[in-house]
Amino acid sequence: MKKVLFCASTLSHITSFHLPYLQAFAQQGWEVWVAANETGPIPCASHVVALPFTKRFFSPQNIRAIFAAHKLLKEQQFTLISTHTTLAGAVCRAAVWLLRRRPQVVYTCHGYLFHQKGLKKWAYLLPEKICAPVTNVLLVMNQEDLQIARRFHLYKNHLALIPGMGFASQLFSPLPQPQREAKRAALSIGPKQVVFIYAAEFSQRKNHSLLLHSFAAAAKQMPTALLFLAGDGSQLTACQQLVQQLGIGGQVRFLGHVHNMADWYPLCDIVVSPSQAEGLPFHLMEAMSCGLPAVVSDIKGHRDLISPGKNGLLFPLGDTAAFAQAMVALYCNGERRLQYGQAARETAGAYGLSQVLPQVLKEYPLSIQ
């Protein structure tokens, strides 16, 4: 029996993005394994193994993870390895280096943590260069990462640009107006209020502080605006305190961890993101599929989804004033929001799972058909 290992730094990453791929392999008779930071039940996986990953990329603890992964690979003799996330990608491919008999390796890059220029890039680029000779197939999700992979030749045999992993587009769509108004009223959202939403882990990379400062700067010009923040994380308490310091507590609502954002996006008007780095963000596709125009930072991943003046607006990363100005521009123009939202929904249609899954599997070196 052919055996495939899906590896990611967290089990939640597997459950969020890769279950349809596990199912596709299982349906074709493959024995499916999963390796992540912990064990737990995973549909279609016959075995789930914990590796001692630690979140800090350069921690010595991850050396232990390499040897644990090597032991697993040597014992199980996988036919194919599908590895994801920067940390797990480096650990798993380093373990492959230590094998005499090497399986086929597909590394899906969900966003390089460096750019093409600058000295800091080398700390993350060097591991990618070292792992390139055992990376039979490299899949990237945005144009900038494609150029990085080509420039530094970060793969052995094959490089491909994929439209993400695919999202459940059938679950994300606008609501009929009467139903939308009723649900908004139940949440004490007035008919004339404009709701901005950002769903992301509260972390430094997701850059909530910039969003809050920009929203506060724009608040006087947006008296009926609300800002919904979904998620949790290490920066949550600091952001809650910042909201009070900025005097916008009456306009900001913290939703906590939300299991299904399809319940929230159709009730909102504009999706925002000040993120510092992305691959191809799911939350943005999901919101766009619900007809929300976007105001997002001008970074890779965002640029692949947003055409300024068509389905949203981009602002220079870190520019508080430009972010505030862009939010005000859409807040003040309902017709523009509607026009951009319709275009956003059309854009998101190309990233649905039913279209993306066969495209991705076609890039694998071993057919599962």
Side-chain angles (χ1 to χ4, degrees):
M1 178 179 289
K2 292 185 288 187
K3 298 167 68 173
V4 61
L5 173 68
F6 279 79
C7 185
S9 56
T10 64
L11 204 60
S12 62
H13 184 90
I14 296 291
T15 58
S16 296
F17 302 114
H18 303 297
L19 294 185
Y21 294 85
L22 271 63
Q23 182 181 31
F25 275 90
Q27 287 176 342
Q28 296 302 320
W30 287 64
E31 184 178 313
V32 179
W33 288 58
V34 168
N37 63 325
E38 60 183 341
T39 60
I42 296 290
C44 299
S46 57
H47 299 83
V48 180
V49 180
L51 296 177
F53 294 120
T54 185
K55 195 169 184 178
R56 290 183 297 113
F57 187 81
F58 298 105
S59 169
Q61 174 76 7
N62 289 321
I63 302 297
R64 288 185 55 216
I66 291 174
F67 285 102
H70 172 258
K71 184 175 183 291
L72 173 67
L73 301 185
K74 187 175 181 181
E75 290 176 350
Q76 297 303 324
Q77 296 291 305
F78 293 103
T79 313
L80 175 67
I81 295 173
S82 178
T83 187
H84 305 264
T85 70
T86 299
L87 174 58
V91 166
C92 196
R93 288 179 293 163
V96 172
W97 251 117
L98 302 176
L99 296 172
R100 287 186 177 180
R101 182 181 176 184
R102 294 172 179 169
Q104 293 284 304
V105 176
V106 177
Y107 172 48
T108 303
C109 173
H110 292 257
Y112 288 124
L113 300 178
F114 57 90
H115 302 282
Q116 296 200 54
K117 299 179 180 179
L119 293 176
K120 290 183 178 180
K121 74 171 183 281
W122 289 103
Y124 289 99
L125 176 56
L126 283 176
E128 295 294 337
K129 288 288 291 180
I130 292 170
C131 292
V134 298
T135 306
N136 301 96
V137 175
L138 173 61
L139 306 179
V140 297
M141 300 184 181
N142 60 64
Q143 288 289 340
E144 183 173 329
D145 284 343
L146 180 66
Q147 296 306 315
I148 289 173
R150 282 176 175 164
R151 177 182 177 187
F152 297 106
H153 203 80
L154 301 181
Y155 58 98
K156 182 180 179 181
N157 302 122
H158 181 58
L159 168 67
L161 176 67
I162 59 171
M165 302 307 302
F167 75 104
S169 56
Q170 74 279 6
L171 302 179
F172 293 87
S173 59
L175 286 174
Q177 194 61 24
Q179 187 177 352
R180 181 177 189 268
E181 291 176 358
K183 289 191 173 186
R184 279 169 60 105
L187 293 169
S188 300
I189 304 172
K192 294 185 178 181
Q193 288 189 291
V194 176
V195 182
F196 295 82
I197 189 165
Y198 185 34
E201 176 190 10
F202 283 81
S203 65
Q204 185 175 354
R205 180 168 70 90
K206 296 300 185 178
N207 211 9
H208 287 77
S209 176
L210 177 70
L211 169 58
L212 294 175
H213 279 98
S214 298
F215 188 82
K220 289 184 179 179
Q221 300 177 69
M222 304 190 306
T224 63
L226 293 175
L227 173 61
F228 286 1
L229 300 174
D232 52 25
S234 60
Q235 300 292 315
L236 174 58
T237 300
C239 288
Q240 291 171 330
Q241 294 171 349
L242 180 58
V243 164
Q244 299 307 316
Q245 294 169 10
L246 293 171
I248 53 175
Q251 291 179 271
V252 179
R253 298 185 189 179
F254 292 89
L255 306 181
H257 174 74
V258 176
H259 177 68
N260 186 8
M261 287 304 300
D263 294 333
W264 288 93
Y265 286 136
L267 308 182
C268 301
D269 300 284
I270 302 166
V271 61
V272 293
S273 174
S275 181
Q276 297 175 351
E278 293 291 344
L280 199 67
F282 257 54
H283 78 93
L284 189 52
M285 299 177 204
E286 292 169 350
M288 293 169 67
S289 186
C290 292
L292 272 62
V295 178
V296 297
S297 50
D298 188 3
I299 61 170
K300 64 181 182 180
H302 287 171
R303 284 192 289 267
D304 292 74
L305 293 172
I306 301 304
S307 301
K310 181 180 178 182
N311 59 10
L313 300 172
L314 297 172
F315 66 90
L317 179 61
D319 192 330
T320 303
F323 193 6
Q325 183 178 2
M327 284 191 283
V328 170
L330 284 189
Y331 169 89
C332 293
N333 195 327
E335 184 177 342
R336 194 179 183 189
R337 290 199 304 272
L338 180 60
Q339 177 186 348
Y340 284 7
Q342 290 173 341
R345 181 158 167 72
E346 293 174 5
T347 299
Y351 297 90
L353 179 63
S354 61
Q355 295 191 54
V356 172
L357 188 144
Q359 293 181 54
V360 174
L361 292 178
K362 187 174 66 174
E363 303 296 345
Y364 276 61
L366 299 171
S367 173
I368 70 164
Q369 304 304 319

